[in-house]
Amino acid sequence: VDEGSRDLDKSVGLLLVLSLPINMQEDFALEYAEEVEQNFPESDVNVIFLEPWGIRCSPVLAHRLRHIDRVEVIHQPHFGLHVRDQDALIEMPSMLLLRCAAARTCWYMELENVSPHRVEVPTTPPRADAPTESGCWFYLSEGCPKDDSLAAHTWLRDIFGERDSRAALDPDACLRRRAAAFKRWCSTNFVEMHFVPKKFDSSESPSSSS
């Protein structure tokens, strides 16, 4: 208990949480670990690999990253819990939310069960008038023929994506998956997405940061 209390009191500046999907292959998980080693060699960013649904990849990740103090591997084995209860589980107070609340800035990203070298996230700079409020935003330069409520030439918040696809927390969900969804729905290629990460204030309680 004392050791855990010390961990909770440990404040960090920048925290990046990488959540592994339930079907993550071990080889892909190790590739993500390699990306962290190469891209954050002397960084001030602390990294948490989170495996919410068991201990499929956690042991090999912990062994691979054991020499990096600022990288942590957390697993939450919830045996018998149905997948449809995931949303309820995420809202519960947890070690992860406590860590995010203690950080000056906390980013959350859901990884895909593919090699990180195959994940393509758009890198086009946002428009000068892009929103600065946290969340997932979209811009339809030619509107949406199937939905008149989606105005053209203005930034709109992706309310449905944030609610159903965690687009406010996961930049890949916002910039890539939601962009593809709008292109299908509106039958247009003129869709721009803009992601602004949520910043957790260290003074917030865990429940308020969720």
Side-chain angles (χ1 to χ4, degrees):
V1 175
D2 292 340
E3 190 68 32
S5 299
R6 285 197 294 270
D7 286 341
L8 293 179
D9 292 337
K10 185 166 54 180
S11 174
V12 297
L14 305 176
L15 178 62
L16 171 63
V17 179
L18 302 175
S19 180
L20 278 61
I22 191 172
N23 61 340
M24 173 64 81
Q25 296 182 32
E26 184 178 303
D27 291 345
F28 293 154
L30 289 173
E31 287 189 42
Y32 281 107
E34 182 180 355
E35 288 290 308
V36 168
E37 290 177 313
Q38 294 178 354
N39 293 295
F40 300 95
E42 302 294 336
S43 173
D44 293 332
V45 178
N46 291 267
V47 179
I48 290 179
F49 277 94
L50 174 68
E51 187 167 27
W53 301 104
I55 51 175
R56 181 187 182 97
C57 299
S58 298
V60 294
L61 284 176
H63 180 75
R64 170 66 179 269
L65 300 167
R66 66 190 184 280
H67 60 288
I68 307 179
D69 293 336
R70 58 187 169 70
V71 178
E72 184 177 3
V73 179
I74 297 178
H75 62 82
Q76 300 176 336
H78 298 283
F79 300 106
L81 185 65
H82 198 280
V83 174
R84 66 185 177 186
D85 297 328
Q86 179 179 7
D87 291 337
L89 176 66
I90 291 174
E91 296 301 325
M92 297 179 185
S94 67
M95 181 69 71
L96 176 61
L97 293 181
L98 293 172
R99 296 290 173 82
C100 279
R104 185 175 74 249
T105 302
C106 180
W107 297 283
Y108 178 95
M109 177 182 293
E110 292 185 348
L111 303 179
E112 292 190 29
N113 185 35
V114 296
S115 168
H117 306 295
R118 293 177 54 193
V119 177
E120 298 179 359
V121 177
T123 57
T124 304
R127 294 174 177 269
D129 61 343
T132 57
E133 182 181 351
S134 63
C136 181
W137 303 82
F138 64 96
Y139 185 100
L140 302 171
S141 57
E142 294 191 355
C144 182
K146 291 185 178 180
D147 191 341
D148 294 336
S149 67
L150 301 180
H153 307 296
T154 185
W155 284 104
L156 300 173
R157 191 178 196 117
D158 186 7
I159 299 175
F160 293 104
E162 293 183 357
R163 184 191 66 189
D164 300 333
S165 303
R166 301 183 62 82
L169 298 174
D170 183 355
D172 182 66
C174 174
L175 299 175
R176 189 169 65 86
R177 297 200 294 268
R178 289 301 295 165
F182 279 114
K183 289 178 181 180
R184 288 194 303 269
W185 171 247
C186 296
S187 298
T188 180
N189 289 321
F190 300 97
V191 179
E192 295 184 43
M193 305 299 298
H194 179 53
F195 176 80
V196 182
K198 180 177 180 180
K199 296 182 179 180
F200 293 94
D201 192 308
S202 59
S203 64
E204 294 181 358
S205 64
S207 57
S208 63
S209 65
S210 62

